[in-house]
Amino acid sequence: MRWVKIFTALKNHFTSIRAVLTVLAFLGIASAIGTLIPQNEENLLVYTERYGPNLGRLLIATGLTHVFRSWWFIAAEIWLVISLLVCTYYRGQFALRLSRRDAKRGIGAWGLTLLHVSLILILVTLMATPQVSKEQRVAGAPGQIMALTAHGVPFDLQIKDFQIDYYPDGTPKQFRTQCAVLENGRVVREDTISVNHPLRYQGAKIYQMDYGWFLRGLLTTGGQTSPFEVVADRNPYPIDRQHLLLAVFYPDFAYDQNGNPVSRSQQPRNPYVLYVLYEYERPVKMGIVRVGQKEDVPGGNITFSGYALYTGLLVKRNPALPYTFAGFALATAGVIAYLIFNPRRRKPTQTENGGEPEA
């Protein structure tokens, strides 16, 4: 019958060693490309600037800028899952028949079936990872509490202290965040996060990424005083309904040979701020002022009263990861069972294995 031929053709297709190896090679090459090309950049101009307009647009159009979420990569993974499901079904049938004749060798056959099941679990979790994993950058100064629960993390983080080690020339060597893990406002753990030593807790990993400065101050215009706290990262921040403030902090201020402002070190020995004040998104005043010194601006004055070092952290969560590890554990158990109770001391005939698939 026609449907029998179609079924047989599909079975042979999904159990073909050549087809499986081709798909695996395709996924391997695509994964290698995905590690070489920056992935999932929000600003697509990054690709046209780095690779040129023609190649950049080609990379975007083909999905090579988001390989692991592209339709063709997911389609290849789904094909591989179907292939493994078909092979697992026939492996299970063979293991069941063999168990009835030889219980010991049957255990080995079930071990190989378990290996196939574990590969399916690993592949499915790897497919799910780009869809369910989350990353969030957070920043906080000592004494502050990072409300990670607002981002779906099952705990909050209190910053106890932040320290930077320096080389003799003043450049940062290592930076560490001493923190406390809070659950329902109660401290359940204290730890230190540093570069290459993340905090692992409740399925989340928190990495030490960078650091910077918070600037506090007062803006007085039109007889009204507005306190503010901004990040000194060259981005404008709103401080009231009318004004935006961009600030750059120089902990150890000086001018270089060309007359440009620089910081001789990261130690706050001579703290100055370069600022740009915007009114209704239009710049109205730019200046360089020492911390604590009052500066006149149109309609009033501005004072940068203080500064604080903040720590920048990266929070990562991958709910699929435990299932991936479970897949590897099952694969290990299956391999051990197969090696101990090897059912293939001799090659089974077509009649014996009932048409066992190639893969």
Side-chain angles (χ1 to χ4, degrees):
M1 297 179 65
R2 184 176 181 182
W3 66 269
V4 175
K5 294 181 179 180
I6 294 175
F7 175 80
T8 303
L10 287 175
K11 187 198 77 170
N12 293 336
H13 170 70
F14 283 108
T15 59
S16 168
I17 288 291
R18 179 178 298 177
V20 170
L21 293 178
T22 299
V23 174
L24 286 174
F26 173 78
L27 290 173
I29 294 172
S31 299
I33 294 175
T35 60
L36 296 176
I37 299 175
Q39 298 290 294
N40 305 317
E41 294 286 351
E42 294 183 1
N43 185 4
L44 297 180
L45 292 176
V46 170
Y47 300 105
T48 55
E49 292 175 356
R50 176 173 296 186
Y51 300 103
N54 294 329
L55 181 57
R57 284 194 292 266
L58 178 62
L59 294 176
I60 295 170
T62 55
L64 291 176
T65 58
H66 52 277
V67 169
F68 304 106
R69 296 182 179 181
S70 62
W71 68 266
W72 45 265
F73 191 89
I74 295 175
E77 291 179 313
I78 292 175
W79 186 97
L80 196 57
V81 169
I82 295 174
S83 175
L84 285 170
L85 284 171
V86 174
C87 292
T88 302
Y89 171 75
Y90 287 106
R91 289 289 182 187
Q93 283 192 330
F94 171 63
L96 183 61
R97 289 192 300 271
L98 185 60
S99 298
R100 292 169 180 172
R101 298 195 305 269
D102 187 336
K104 182 178 290 188
R105 294 178 64 206
I107 295 175
W110 282 115
L112 196 58
T113 304
L114 181 62
L115 176 61
H116 279 70
V117 172
S118 66
L119 291 176
I120 295 172
L121 178 59
I122 293 170
L123 188 56
V124 169
T125 57
L126 292 178
M127 290 171 58
T129 293
Q131 316 302 325
V132 301
S133 61
K134 297 180 180 179
E135 293 186 1
Q136 181 70 36
R137 296 182 72 99
V138 294
Q144 291 184 339
I145 295 179
M146 296 180 176
L148 303 184
T149 49
H151 304 292
V153 181
F155 59 89
D156 294 320
L157 202 67
Q158 182 180 20
I159 306 302
K160 294 287 191 178
D161 194 14
F162 180 64
Q163 300 173 342
I164 302 178
D165 296 335
Y166 297 94
Y167 288 105
D169 62 357
T171 57
K173 179 180 180 182
Q174 174 67 284
F175 30 104
R176 297 182 298 273
T177 300
Q178 297 179 8
C179 59
V181 176
L182 305 179
E183 291 185 356
N184 299 319
R186 183 174 59 89
V187 177
V188 296
R189 176 179 173 181
E190 293 189 359
D191 211 329
T192 299
I193 306 170
S194 61
V195 178
N196 299 324
H197 295 87
L199 168 66
R200 295 177 174 88
Y201 188 72
Q202 293 285 357
K205 289 184 180 180
I206 304 179
Y207 296 85
Q208 183 71 65
M209 291 298 295
D210 52 23
Y211 66 93
W213 298 91
F214 285 131
L215 294 171
R216 297 184 297 272
L218 298 172
L219 173 66
T220 301
T221 57
Q224 295 184 347
T225 299
S226 302
F228 62 82
E229 183 176 83
V230 298
V231 179
D233 62 356
R234 301 177 185 271
N235 291 311
Y237 290 88
I239 54 178
D240 58 30
R241 293 182 178 180
Q242 302 178 11
H243 297 93
L244 301 173
L245 181 64
L246 179 152
V248 180
F249 184 58
Y250 297 93
D252 193 6
F253 178 76
Y255 286 105
D256 63 12
Q257 296 179 349
N258 298 321
N260 299 316
V262 296
S263 185
R264 290 168 294 195
S265 70
Q266 292 300 310
Q267 305 284 354
R269 300 188 180 102
N270 188 31
Y272 271 74
V273 178
L274 184 152
Y275 71 93
V276 180
L277 181 65
Y278 296 82
E279 187 173 1
Y280 297 111
E281 300 185 356
R282 181 175 60 88
V284 295
K285 181 65 183 292
M286 177 179 178
I288 298 179
V289 60
R290 184 178 177 85
V291 174
Q293 179 180 329
K294 185 179 294 186
E295 176 89 343
D296 291 333
V297 298
N301 59 73
I302 188 172
T303 304
F304 292 92
S305 57
Y307 50 86
L309 198 62
Y310 73 79
T311 176
L313 304 174
L314 177 65
V315 183
K316 286 187 175 184
R317 291 193 70 207
N318 181 7
L321 191 59
Y323 300 99
T324 305
F325 289 146
F328 281 110
L330 290 176
T332 302
V335 170
I336 292 174
Y338 178 73
L339 292 177
I340 295 177
F341 307 100
N342 185 2
R344 303 295 294 270
R345 293 172 184 166
R346 61 184 179 83
K347 185 176 181 179
T349 64
Q350 182 75 9
T351 303
E352 181 180 359
N353 66 13
E356 186 185 358
E358 297 178 34

